[in-house]
């Protein structure tokens, strides 16, 4: 058993608490990882807020991390002690019908136990003050050591800077893949990206790499426009600058609508606007943002009858074990940006400040 520091969420709506936790050794087909760096994501904040129906407390959150394998359980063959790895919240077992289907990356092997905050055998590897602590998204990267299933880990280039590539565990991969895998953005096309946070910037990067000729960034926070343009946005607009609905503004700007649109916020009203901003006959809109539990999307069926397509994406459609090492290689060879997404570096005990910076849009 390893004793180490972790940021524990004891209950919903309260700040994280830095505690000493006990991390049990890995069981069969499990891997214990020393986490070197982790990022914060809105999904962590969503669960912490209490709005997530799958949220269980007390829990160690975090799902964008990178580290070194400390030890492996029985039967683990893909990684060994000392390997550099990124934990994966969408695993890849290679055996389920989802893994065998090239159309999806949604491995279901451990979905039920992962959703309940436990390891595949139904138990937890974390305890604190005599209490069992739940796992989160199969990763729990807000701990100096964590235990994950062996199908939930990608071995990456040992030379990669872990305080950067941890972002490939969720946000950057999600946005980039939404453009190149899910939408399959074509050269010369026109794109609209709703929400210019980390995921939105990654979508812009993907659209640019795919050869889009016009990329319109949309956000009510104008402080985000300069960064969006650095990533490839050709122009940025705010929905608050016009009395007309944003979809009408975009249709006027683009002679009938965009070829591809992306919703990167998790707001069902914006999802509708993003679809309706698409061009009749061929426009494709991808939902990337995660809406709150129980919310529903709506539009007039005529929008779809007249040739628009509504799609969704999880982790950018990447088959995780296969793709994350390749994404790290693309970063190392400067095909994709990662460093530019990092705005602040904080010590672990300032993790609550990191959440405040995220909530304030900084």
């Amino acid at each position: 058993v390893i004793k180490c520091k972790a940021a524990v969420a004891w209950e919903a709506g309260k700040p994280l608490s830095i505690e000493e936790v006990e991390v049990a050794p890995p069981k069969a087909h499990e891997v214990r990882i020393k986490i070197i760096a982790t990022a914060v994501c809105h999904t962590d904040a969503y669960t912490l807020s209490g709005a997530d129906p799958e949220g269980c407390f007390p829990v160690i959150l975090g799902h964008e991390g990178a580290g070194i394998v400390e030890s492996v359980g029985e039967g683990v063959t893909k990684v060994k002690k000392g390997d550099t790895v990124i934990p994966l919240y969408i695993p890849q077992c290679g055996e389920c019908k989802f893994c065998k289907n090239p159309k999806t990356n949604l491995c279901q092997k451990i979905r039920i136990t992962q959703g309940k905050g436990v390891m595949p055998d139904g138990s937890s590897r974390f305890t604190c003050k005599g209490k069992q602590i739940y796992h989160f998204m199969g990763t729990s990267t807000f701990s100096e050591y964590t235990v994950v299933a062996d199908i939930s880990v990608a071995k990456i280039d040992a030379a990669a800077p872990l305080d950067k590539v941890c972002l490939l565990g969720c946000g950057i991969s999600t946005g980039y893949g939404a453009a190149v895998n899910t939408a399959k953005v074509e050269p010369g096309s026109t794109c609209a990206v709703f929400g210019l946070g980390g995921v939105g910037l990654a979508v812009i990067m993907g659209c640019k790499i795919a050869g889009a000729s016009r990329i319109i960034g949309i956000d009510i926070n104008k402080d985000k426009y300069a960064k969006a343009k650095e990533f490839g946005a050709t122009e940025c607009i705010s929905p608050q600058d016009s009395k007309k609905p944003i979809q009408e503004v975009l249709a006027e700007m683009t002679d009938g609508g965009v070829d591809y649109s992306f919703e990167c916020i998790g707001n069902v009203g914006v999802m509708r606007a993003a679809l309706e901003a698409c061009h009749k006959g061929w426009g494709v809109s991808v939902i990337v943002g995660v809406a709150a539990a129980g919310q529903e999307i709506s539009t007039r069926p005529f929008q779809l009858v007249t040739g628009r397509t509504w799609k969704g994406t999880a982790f950018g459609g990447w088959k995780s074990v296969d793709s994350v090492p390749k994404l790290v290689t693309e970063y190392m060879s400067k095909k994709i940006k990662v460093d530019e997404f990092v705005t602040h570096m904080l010590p672990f005990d300032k993790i609550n400040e990191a959440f405040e910076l995220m909530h304030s849009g900084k």
Side-chain angles (χ1 to χ4, degrees), residues 113-303:
T113 48
Q114 180 172 314
K116 289 177 179 168
V118 291
M119 295 300 288
D121 74 344
S123 62
S124 168
R125 301 290 163 269
F126 297 120
T127 48
C128 180
K129 297 178 180 172
K131 288 186 181 152
Q132 173 184 289
I133 309 291
Y134 287 108
H135 293 250
F136 177 69
M137 288 175 75
T139 53
S140 290
T141 60
F142 293 172
S143 175
E144 291 178 327
Y145 287 86
T146 190
V147 179
V148 304
D150 63 352
I151 59 172
S152 303
V153 64
K155 182 182 172 181
I156 62 162
D157 184 342
L162 301 189
D163 58 350
K164 305 294 194 298
V165 296
C166 59
L167 289 169
L168 293 170
C170 179
I172 297 178
S173 305
T174 297
Y176 176 44
V180 299
N181 296 332
T182 310
K184 295 185 168 60
V185 170
E186 294 166 318
S189 57
T190 298
C191 302
V193 181
F194 291 77
L196 301 176
V199 174
L201 294 175
V203 171
I204 290 171
M205 177 176 77
C207 292
K208 185 182 180 185
I209 289 170
S213 59
R214 194 170 177 195
I215 305 168
I216 305 164
I218 301 134
D219 202 300
I220 55 176
N221 181 352
K222 295 187 177 181
D223 295 341
K224 297 192 171 186
Y225 293 179
K227 195 83 165 169
K229 287 176 180 170
E230 274 176 47
F231 278 89
T234 52
E235 62 222 279
C236 293
I237 58 173
S238 168
Q240 294 176 337
D241 285 352
S242 172
K243 290 199 171 79
K244 291 179 186 168
I246 188 70
Q247 51 268 56
E248 284 181 31
V249 174
L250 285 161
E252 284 173 15
M253 286 172 66
T254 57
D255 186 28
V258 298
D259 302 313
Y260 301 97
S261 72
F262 301 85
E263 198 280 352
C264 307
I265 302 160
N267 179 307
V268 292
V270 179
M271 290 173 190
R272 177 174 189 159
L275 175 78
E276 294 177 0
C278 284
H279 201 287
K280 184 188 286 189
W282 63 76
V284 174
S285 186
V286 180
I287 294 173
V288 193
V290 178
Q295 295 195 327
E296 297 183 352
I297 47 173
S298 61
T299 188
R300 293 193 178 152
F302 195 65
Q303 294 285 335

Side-chain angles (χ1 to χ4, degrees), residues 24 27 36 79-80 100 105-106 112 114 131 133 141 153 177 200 212 225 228 239 244 259 341:
K27 293 188 181 179
I36 304 297
V79 295
K80 62 184 187 304
K100 287 179 172 171
N105 62 331
L106 297 174
I112 292 167
Q114 180 172 314
K131 288 186 181 152
I133 309 291
T141 60
V153 64
Y225 293 179
K244 291 179 186 168
D259 302 313
F341 286 87

Side-chain angles (χ1 to χ4, degrees), residues 12-13 45-55 57 291-294:
Y46 168 61
T47 299
L48 186 58
S49 74
D52 181 357
E54 270 199 345
F57 296 89

Side-chain angles (χ1 to χ4, degrees), residues 14-34:
K14 296 281 173 71
L16 302 178
S17 176
I18 302 289
E19 305 279 4
E20 183 180 80
V21 298
E22 294 87 42
V23 185
K27 293 188 181 179
H29 295 287
E30 294 177 3
V31 179
R32 187 160 61 179
I33 302 168
K34 179 180 186 179

